[in-house]
């Protein structure tokens, strides 16, 4: 029986992945986006391909789609849990997580593109895609018991860790965007940046107020106590956070706090609550027909189809954006291993430590810029001859000509990059299965429509507000630390 299921699962994978893999292999040969950006785009494309196939495996409609595409030539009879369903999605995402984990281990210690193992990150795409395909095939012959444990404990923990990384990036983005507008306004004295800052702040609070009113009108009917609690709690917390952001003691300790950052955070938290309420499932038949209608969108067929399509593409796109940004900004979360050039970067090594969450520079220097600045200082002080700077400039010009922007140092930590993608794949699996609660009787799975998904979104909004509140209160409470 196990062999038969393995054969059927392998056939199913071949049907679903043949077109996608052919396109991916063709893109690897035809599209030549050079440099570290091209590498990140390629890995994001792999993530989208894997997530698309996993979404097709949520229910049996993926198998029916294969049958229709092949005009009935391929007709598979495969039980739930092997070729479709919760465990099938976890099999696909487990394969990508394992693929990234292996690549992360193989690229440990790579500091520039001249390292022999750097090509494992930036090249050998045909071999890597074939390796991913092999892992997918092997995952479908692993017993279900392994994925039952993996989905409940390993994937859920990894998804939670990635969710925290997303929240850190969101708060960091709020500070960076506000500081960027202020810095450009001060440098150029153009009213455009001031208007963008003020208009953006007003816009975020208008969005917050609009979503709160919509939530009360459509999702807080009589008898919907849980929804009323979610909306009211979010309203109170957002007001408290906004008042704290402009409190005199907070602004005295943290000069970068203000309504601009608070507006972005409150708007995002309100969006999560609105999304949770709009995605809450309708009452089951066991609960009786006299239950109040707390989500009028749940019974609308058009809304279900729209939410399925838009939700799937928006979710996967948001994960790709967060993943690539988290990987590139890894130096703000971890310490980058020193390269052979880093001792010249600064006279005070402690300055290369982790960047505080609330102090994200608007003009972050890359490793190459740090080395160039250090070389200029060394030449000016007489520690190095002027030829050293000339040789460095010649190397930079050669790198620009060859489009290799990592010859003198990697733009991001390769291992951390793959760890983030590994956790992102686990997070995608939890989203696609509505946190292990999809109903295989549905024709199309709507991402986020389950009780578990509702609670995850609401708790995430609370964590987002708590994390931002910590950036406001920490400088006030821990006065002995440098938060500049």
């Amino acid at each position: 029986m196990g062999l038969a299921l393995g054969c059927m699962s392998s056939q199913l994978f071949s049907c679903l992945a043949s077109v996608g893999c052919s396109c991916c292999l063709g893109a690897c040969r035809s599209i030549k986006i050079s440099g570290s950006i091209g590498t990140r785009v390629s890995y994001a494309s792999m993530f989208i391909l894997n997530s698309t196939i996993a979404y097709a495996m949520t229910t049996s409609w993926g198998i029916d789609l294969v049958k229709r595409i092949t005009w009935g030539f391929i007709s598979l009879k495969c039980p739930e849990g092997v070729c479709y369903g919760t465990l099938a999605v976890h099999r696909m995402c487990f394969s990508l997580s394992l693929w990234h984990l292996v690549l992360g281990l193989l690229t440990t210690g790579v500091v520039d593109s001249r390292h022999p193992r750097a090509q494992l990150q930036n090249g050998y795409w045909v071999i890597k895609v074939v390796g991913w395909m092999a892992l997918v095939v092997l995952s479908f012959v692993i017993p279900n018991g392994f994925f039952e444990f993996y989905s409940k404990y390993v994937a859920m923990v990894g998804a939670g860790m990635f969710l925290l990384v997303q929240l850190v990036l969101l708060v960091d983005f709020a500070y960076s965007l506000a500081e960027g507008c202020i810095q450009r306004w001060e440098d150029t004295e153009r009213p455009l940046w001031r208007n963008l800052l003020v208009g953006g702040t007003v816009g975020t609070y208008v969005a917050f107020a609009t979503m709160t009113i919509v939530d009360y009108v459509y999702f807080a009917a009589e008898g919907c106590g849980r929804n009323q609690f979610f909306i009211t709690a979010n309203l109170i917390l957002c007001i408290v956070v906004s008042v704290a952001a402009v409190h005199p003691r907070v602004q005295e300790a943290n000069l970068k706090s203000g309504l601009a950052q608070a507006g972005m955070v409150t708007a995002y938290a309100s969006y999560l609550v609105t999304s949770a309420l709009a995605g809450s499932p309708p009452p089951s038949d066991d609960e009786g027909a006299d239950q109040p209608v707390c989500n009028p969108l749940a019974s609308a067929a058009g809304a279900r189809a729209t939410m399925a399509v838009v939700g799937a593409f928006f979710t996967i796109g948001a994960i790709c954006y967060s993943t690539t940004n988290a990987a590139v900004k890894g130096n703000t979360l971890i310490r980058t291993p020193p390269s052979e050039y880093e001792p010249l970067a600064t006279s005070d090594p402690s300055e290369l430590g982790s960047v505080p969450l609330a102090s994200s520079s608007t003009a972050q220097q890359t490793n190459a810029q740090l080395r160039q600045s250090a070389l200029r200082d060394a030449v000016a002080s007489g520690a190095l001859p002027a030829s050293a700077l000339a040789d460095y400039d010649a190397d930079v010009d050669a790198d620009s000509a060859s489009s290799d922007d990592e010859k003198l140092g990697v733009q991001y930590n390769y291992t951390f990059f793959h760890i983030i993608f590994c956790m992102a794949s686990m997070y995608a699996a939890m989203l696609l299965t509505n946190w292990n609660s999809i109903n295989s009787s549905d024709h199309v799975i709507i991402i986020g429509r389950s009780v578990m998904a509702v609670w995850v979104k609401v708790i995430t909004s609370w964590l987002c507000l708590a994390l931002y509140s910590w950036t406001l209160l920490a400088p006030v409470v821990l006065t002995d630390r440098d938060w500049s």
Side-chain angles (χ1 to χ4, degrees):
M1 176 65 68
L3 179 60
L5 294 180
C7 293
M8 286 187 294
S9 62
S10 300
Q11 292 176 5
L12 176 64
F13 164 73
S14 300
C15 296
L16 293 176
S18 59
V19 176
C21 291
S22 298
C23 294
C24 186
L25 289 173
C28 293
R29 297 188 185 97
S30 59
I31 300 178
K32 298 185 180 298
I33 304 177
S34 57
S36 59
I37 296 179
T39 299
R40 297 197 293 269
V41 169
S42 300
Y43 281 112
S45 301
M46 287 288 297
F47 181 84
I48 294 175
L49 173 63
N50 189 89
S51 300
T52 302
I53 299 175
Y55 182 67
M57 291 182 171
T58 50
T59 63
S60 59
W61 70 269
I63 297 178
D64 298 335
L65 180 62
V66 173
K67 182 179 179 180
R68 290 196 299 270
I69 292 176
T70 59
W71 295 285
F73 180 75
I74 299 177
S75 179
L76 300 176
K77 294 182 179 180
C78 194
E80 177 184 355
V82 177
C83 293
Y84 67 94
T86 300
L87 298 184
V89 174
H90 279 291
R91 291 177 192 271
M92 284 296 306
C93 294
F94 166 79
S95 303
L96 189 64
S97 294
L98 183 59
W99 186 70
H100 277 290
L101 184 61
V102 172
L103 287 176
L105 293 175
L106 292 177
T107 55
T108 302
V110 176
V111 295
D112 54 54
S113 60
R114 295 175 297 177
H115 196 283
R117 287 184 280 116
Q119 280 300 309
L120 294 174
Q121 172 75 7
N122 303 314
Y124 303 129
W125 280 104
V126 174
I127 297 176
K128 287 190 290 188
V129 170
V130 172
W132 165 71
M133 295 170 59
L135 289 176
V136 172
V137 173
L138 291 176
S139 70
F140 277 87
V141 299
I142 298 176
N144 284 353
F146 170 81
F147 286 101
E148 290 175 357
F149 173 85
Y150 172 81
S151 62
K152 293 179 181 178
Y153 301 102
V154 180
M156 189 166 291
V157 171
M161 294 175 63
F162 180 76
L163 203 55
L164 292 177
V165 172
Q166 276 191 313
L167 295 180
V168 171
L169 287 175
L170 172 70
V171 177
D172 179 76
F173 172 77
Y175 276 101
S176 300
L177 185 60
E179 293 169 23
C181 290
I182 294 175
Q183 184 67 38
R184 286 173 174 80
W185 179 25
E186 294 176 349
D187 293 342
T188 63
E189 296 184 353
R190 295 180 59 188
L192 171 64
W193 300 107
R194 180 196 59 194
N195 296 337
L196 285 176
L197 183 63
V198 175
T201 303
V202 173
T204 54
Y205 277 102
V206 168
F208 157 66
T210 302
M211 286 185 285
T212 303
I213 294 174
V214 169
D215 291 343
Y216 273 118
V217 172
Y218 288 96
F219 305 114
E222 184 178 359
C224 303
R226 187 189 66 179
N227 290 4
Q228 294 171 0
F229 168 73
F230 288 160
I231 302 169
T232 305
N234 178 74
L235 175 63
I236 295 174
L237 291 175
C238 289
I239 293 176
V240 170
V241 165
S242 300
V243 172
V246 294
H247 192 276
R249 288 195 60 187
V250 172
Q251 291 204 320
E252 181 181 357
N254 183 4
L255 299 177
K256 300 173 182 177
S257 65
L259 288 178
Q261 301 93 328
M264 284 183 274
V265 173
T266 55
Y268 180 72
S270 302
Y271 160 75
L272 287 176
V273 173
T274 303
S275 177
L277 299 179
S280 58
S284 60
D285 297 335
D286 299 335
E287 297 177 356
D290 57 345
Q291 294 294 322
V293 179
C294 298
N295 182 13
L297 301 179
S299 58
R304 286 172 58 89
T306 302
M307 290 177 64
V309 177
V310 176
F313 282 99
F314 177 79
T315 300
I316 299 302
I319 295 176
C320 286
Y321 175 80
S322 300
T323 303
T324 53
N325 275 271
V328 173
K329 292 187 177 181
N331 290 334
T332 65
L333 303 175
I334 62 172
R335 290 181 181 270
T336 305
S339 70
E340 59 183 298
Y341 299 96
E342 251 182 6
L344 297 176
T346 179
S347 58
D348 185 3
S350 63
E351 294 179 4
L352 292 177
S354 299
V355 178
L357 176 64
S359 60
S360 175
S361 174
T362 57
Q364 295 177 348
Q365 289 182 309
T366 64
N367 292 335
Q369 291 172 330
L370 286 172
R371 277 189 288 274
Q372 186 179 32
S373 177
L375 279 172
R376 290 182 190 226
D377 294 340
V379 171
S381 64
L384 289 176
S387 59
L389 185 58
D391 293 340
Y392 176 84
D393 293 336
D395 290 338
V396 171
D397 293 339
D399 293 339
S400 300
S402 63
S403 299
D404 184 0
D405 57 352
E406 296 185 315
K407 186 176 181 180
L408 299 177
V410 296
Q411 298 294 316
Y412 55 94
N413 186 293
Y414 289 170
T415 301
F416 185 72
F417 177 87
H418 290 291
I419 291 176
I420 290 295
F421 262 103
C422 178
M423 293 189 297
S425 185
M426 298 179 186
Y427 180 62
M430 302 307 297
L431 285 180
L432 293 174
T433 61
N434 283 331
W435 298 84
N436 293 330
S437 58
I438 64 175
N439 183 4
S440 297
S441 61
D442 292 339
H443 182 68
V444 176
I445 295 297
I446 299 179
I447 296 177
R449 175 158 291 180
S450 70
V451 176
M452 182 67 176
V454 170
W455 277 102
V456 168
K457 290 182 178 180
V458 172
I459 293 176
T460 300
S461 70
W462 295 344
L463 288 176
C464 181
L465 292 170
L467 183 62
Y468 175 68
S469 300
W470 172 247
T471 67
L472 299 175
L473 299 178
V476 178
V477 178
L478 304 176
T479 56
D480 57 334
R481 294 190 58 182
D482 183 14
W483 298 93
S484 59

